[in-house]
Amino acid sequence: FPVTILSIACAKAGVVPSLSTAPININTHRIQNDLKAFRKEMDHCNLILGLVAPIDVSISAFENLIVELVKKYKITHVEYIEMKYSSEFVKKLNDLNCRVIVKHAQSHLLRVKCDAITLKGNEAAGYSSPLPLKEIFAQQIHKSTVPIIVSGGIATKEQIDFYINNGALAVSIGALFAASQESRIAYSTKL
C-alpha cells in the first residue's frame, strides 16, 4: 500500500493526510484496503477522504458507500473535489462527526453547506481559478461564513505563514506528495 505508507508518514509528521476515491468504479476495494491499513497503523489520527465524482456509479449509491466508509473507518473529514452533493448527505456525515470540505476554484461555492472550503488559485494542479490564489483569498477571506483552506502553488514556509497569519484555517499542499515515488498517479502525469 504505497499511498497508505505516504499517508501514515504524513500523519506521523503532524499533517492531516488525504486518501482519494478516484475513480470509484474500479477502486472500491483499493480504497477500503487503504483505509483499513491506515486505521491499523494510525487509529487515532484525523483523515480526509477526497471524493471525486463517480464513474458509472449513481450519486446515491456513491453517497451510501461514503457513509459506510465514514462509519467503518472513522473518517473525520471528506473533501468534495469539484462535484455536487446533497444537503441531506452533508447532514448524514455531520451526524457521524465527519466534517465536509468543498474544494473548488469558483467563489460561488462559498454559499453551499459545508464546514470549510478550499480555495484553489491558478497555481494549483488540475482545474483551478483563472486568478492567483492570493487574489482569490483576498476577495473571499472576509466574505466566507466558514473557514478557508488555501491550495495551489504553496511551497515555502513564508507562503504558509502568510495565509495562516491572514486568516486561513489551513494550507493544502498536495503536488509534492502527488508527485512522490509512492504516489499511484501515472508517471507521465507526474512529469
Side-chain angles (χ1 to χ4, degrees):
F1 301 111
V3 77
T4 308
I5 292 167
L6 183 59
S7 297
I8 290 168
C10 288
K12 287 180 177 180
V15 174
V16 178
S18 176
L19 293 173
S20 174
T21 62
I24 196 67
N25 65 335
I26 59 171
N27 283 334
T28 303
H29 295 294
R30 189 213 79 206
I31 193 66
Q32 290 188 54
N33 288 337
D34 286 347
L35 289 166
K36 185 177 184 180
F38 181 85
R39 281 295 169 223
K40 182 177 177 183
E41 180 82 19
M42 304 301 292
D43 189 53
H44 62 286
C45 289
N46 288 340
L47 178 64
I48 299 169
L49 184 62
L51 306 181
V52 179
I55 301 168
D56 300 332
V57 176
S58 75
I59 293 296
S60 63
F62 178 71
E63 289 182 353
N64 290 336
L65 170 64
I66 299 305
V67 167
E68 291 307 310
L69 293 176
V70 166
K71 285 180 190 176
K72 186 171 183 176
Y73 297 106
K74 300 182 282 183
I75 297 167
T76 56
H77 301 78
V78 296
E79 181 176 57
Y80 274 90
I81 303 171
E82 298 155 8
M83 63 178 276
K84 294 180 178 172
Y85 57 93
S86 68
S87 56
E88 296 82 24
F89 182 53
V90 172
K91 182 174 179 351
K92 284 181 187 177
L93 294 175
N94 286 166
D95 288 348
L96 294 169
N97 292 318
C98 181
R99 300 296 156 238
V100 175
I101 303 166
V102 175
K103 184 175 194 173
H104 209 289
Q106 297 178 9
S107 61
H108 75 274
L109 286 172
L110 289 171
R111 296 186 296 272
V112 300
K113 170 68 174 123
C114 60
D115 298 297
I117 189 160
T118 300
L119 295 177
K120 291 175 67 176
N122 63 6
E123 309 91 341
Y127 175 79
S128 62
S129 165
L131 301 174
L133 180 58
K134 269 191 177 180
E135 192 172 326
I136 297 169
F137 180 72
Q139 290 173 1
Q140 300 301 331
I141 189 63
H142 300 294
K143 293 180 185 179
S144 181
T145 59
V146 297
I148 290 178
I149 300 165
V150 292
S151 177
I154 301 165
T156 68
K157 179 186 181 319
E158 291 74 26
Q159 290 170 312
I160 293 169
D161 289 346
F162 170 82
Y163 289 109
I164 297 299
N165 292 337
N166 284 286
L169 171 69
V171 173
S172 176
I173 301 173
L176 296 174
F177 298 110
S180 72
Q181 182 179 357
E182 295 85 354
S183 170
R184 286 192 175 117
I185 293 173
Y187 182 71
S188 59
T189 303
K190 291 178 186 182
L191 290 177

